[in-house]
Amino acid sequence: MARVLVVDDKEENRYYLQTLLKGHGFEVDVARHGAEALVKARQAPPALAISDLLMPVMDGYTLLRHWRSDAVLRPIPFIVYTATYTEPQDEQLALDLGADAFVLKPAEPERILAEIEVVRARLAAPAVLPAAPSGDELETLKLYSQTLIRKLEEKSLQLEEANRALQRDLDERKAVESALRQSEAEFRILADALPQMVWIASPRGHTVYVNRHWNDYTGLAEPDERDGWAAPLHADDRETVLATWRDALRAGTPWSAEARLKRADDAWRWWLIRAVPERDEKGGTIKWVGTCTDIEDLRHTQQQLRQSQRLELVGQLTGGIAHDFNNILNVILANAESLAEADDLPVEIVERVDRIAHSVRRASELVRSLLAFSRKQPLKPRAVDVNELVARTGKLLRRSLGEHVELSEDLDDGLWTVSIDRAQLEAALLNLCVNARDAMPDGGRLSIRTFNTAVAATRHPDAVAGDHVVLEVRDSGSGMAPDVLARVFEPFFTTKPEGKGTGLGLSMVYGFVRQSRGHVEIDSELGRGTAVRLFLPRAEGAPDQAESLPRAPVVQRRHRVLLVEDDPQVRAAVLLQLQGLGCDVTEANGGAAGIVAMESAERPYDVLLTDVVMPGTIDGRALAEEVGRRWPHTRIVFMSGYPRDAIAADGRLLPGVLLINKPFRKADLAQILDRALEKPADN
């Protein structure tokens, strides 16, 4: 037996629908308003909901928005049954919010039953489940407010008409007084049901009414005569807002402004303030009906989204230059190493070559830092116990932070495991702690905390909903001003003195955490310290065992290597390195030439060493796939100046891929060739 949830604040309406539906085989549950309906529906989801719109506590529109935003309730049909909201735009708003049908009271029993059958038949047919409402939240709030304000205006006009009727016919006083009381009750119910603060002002702007939400938010019993609804305005916004409000009063035109309003607990939030004039028959202003809509969270989300888009743009630029820059560094490093191995070089020349090699390695680290920020470094994620990592890193930190910094740890005993690149997480933690130390030159407190949390998708533009482990580093240092906080993740942005920092530390942390499908939050205020929280997605299973240290490379001699690289200078540099290792090398200047070289060889090569990004239809990955299919005994090693080039998914290196990042030393090349030749040949 299908169960129907009937939502209506009037007992006679509930009784009518309950009797009708039970008589036709339905089980019926009832609720007096939207809040009660949500509780009942979430405890025991019905097969269908029929709801009024005008109700206290939570109206039908708000119930419908929550209904379609709930993953369990979303597929359940929702029929609107109303006698108050009767205009086409009222129906359109309900349908836009996800209603399946819109029925006006009173309706014949046959009409109600027919709508139920149509909706249930539509549900039975294969179809895509209704999605949660989307779109611009501010626009939705404006449309919602406009609809409810229009109802306020209609009720207000009803009051005026009732007053005129009272003057015309004293014999109908009792009936008119009853109508006035009913209309005023509905007006107050409607106003108090709104999520906005509602106020009404005289033609000259004197506040004559505020709803309960205004009282609750401001903590004021009534608006004072001087400021009225504007009493909680922030001092920095007051002059501008009230100036535009006075202009609107003189012109008699609709008005809006954004400003901060003080809450009862002295907190400040941003609000969208709007007012529309209500006019008489001659066009004169009778009163002003205004609303204040909370947009604090929306502004915060928009600010975070703008920052995320700006950082994404910088990341794209970084990835674009990394490939060519690393190719150039590889040529310099290979030739420097070759010079260093020459016999009978003067000491001063050897020293200069060493400085060149050292500078190349520093430049390579700089590019690697930029790639970390742009989320284009290859990661090796595994299940990690963050508490164990913090405890081990803490021993190193206590030696490096100094005696003037007090370090404490608060680690959750039941902490979940996370899937993360352990080495990168250790580097991120060290980076955050060093930043915290630098923010406390005269000493202070540094605390590391871990805890579990569930993250909603609406918390942050970059957030992924689900279970997360939070790693928090908090200091008692100088804190950051808002303008600094807005740019803190940008590469090369730093407030440290010249030579004391590159401005890449937090950029690397941000990029690494985002690449690991987490997100970063920072709370900071001048004079009150800084807290950085890394939200890391939960992993299933126990932590992996710590990796053993890699053994020293073994140089392989006289192996036959096919070197495929389209840049002639890079190819010549790598050729020099391979020959220095004693390899028998054949060169090819691209993927197509590599296929030809494989086909013309008397016997398969031991190793294919290929660049990833090359012009033409056969790039490094396509070449590797063809060689692996036709010459399965040839081992394959990729080299790239852009680690994410076509061989990594979301920065995570594909299983079985051997990759050497440019620029690389001859010893690095020897090590990866050794690893490749240790792998068993494919059958």
Side-chain angles (χ1 to χ4, degrees), residues 130-166:
S134 62
D136 190 312
E137 184 66 14
L138 182 54
E139 289 301 318
T140 302
L141 288 172
K142 286 182 179 179
L143 179 59
Y144 184 37
S145 299
Q146 290 168 358
T147 300
L148 296 177
I149 288 173
R150 178 165 42 81
K151 287 301 171 186
L152 286 172
E153 293 172 348
E154 292 173 2
K155 293 300 178 183
S156 180
L157 289 173
Q158 290 175 12
L159 287 170
E160 296 294 334
E161 179 60 30
N163 276 320
R164 288 192 292 270
L166 180 63

Side-chain angles (χ1 to χ4, degrees), residues 5 31 33-45 63 67 73:
L5 176 61
H33 48 72
E36 183 181 7
L38 273 180
V39 172
K40 288 191 172 185
R42 285 168 175 164
Q43 289 174 345
L63 170 61
W67 195 277
L73 302 180

Side-chain angles (χ1 to χ4, degrees), residues 183-227:
S183 181
E184 183 178 356
E186 290 182 353
F187 170 85
R188 292 185 178 277
I189 288 174
L190 181 62
D192 288 339
L194 283 169
Q196 290 90 358
M197 294 190 286
V198 178
W199 49 275
I200 296 176
S202 69
R204 293 187 176 183
H206 299 296
T207 303
V208 297
Y209 167 81
V210 291
N211 70 340
R212 186 175 58 194
H213 189 18
W214 190 94
N215 299 126
D216 293 343
Y217 179 85
T218 64
L220 303 174
E222 293 294 338
D224 58 56
E225 294 183 1
R226 184 175 63 87
D227 285 337

Side-chain angles (χ1 to χ4, degrees), residues 345-415:
L345 279 178
V347 174
E348 62 270 17
I349 298 300
V350 173
E351 291 177 350
R352 291 178 183 179
V353 170
D354 287 342
R355 286 198 292 269
I356 291 173
H358 178 69
S359 296
V360 169
R361 286 192 288 272
R362 287 187 60 191
S364 175
E365 289 299 323
L366 180 63
V367 174
R368 191 170 292 115
S369 299
L370 288 170
L371 289 173
F373 160 73
S374 58
R375 308 196 296 276
K376 293 175 175 63
Q377 60 177 339
L379 299 179
K380 297 178 181 178
R382 60 190 182 92
V384 173
D385 180 349
V386 177
N387 281 351
E388 183 271 333
L389 182 146
V390 171
R392 179 174 296 185
T393 307
K395 297 177 181 178
L396 173 63
L397 285 172
R398 285 185 169 85
R399 291 194 297 269
S400 60
L401 292 178
E403 297 180 354
H404 62 294
V405 175
E406 177 188 343
L407 176 64
S408 64
E409 297 173 0
D410 180 10
L411 309 181
D412 190 335
D413 292 336
L415 199 69

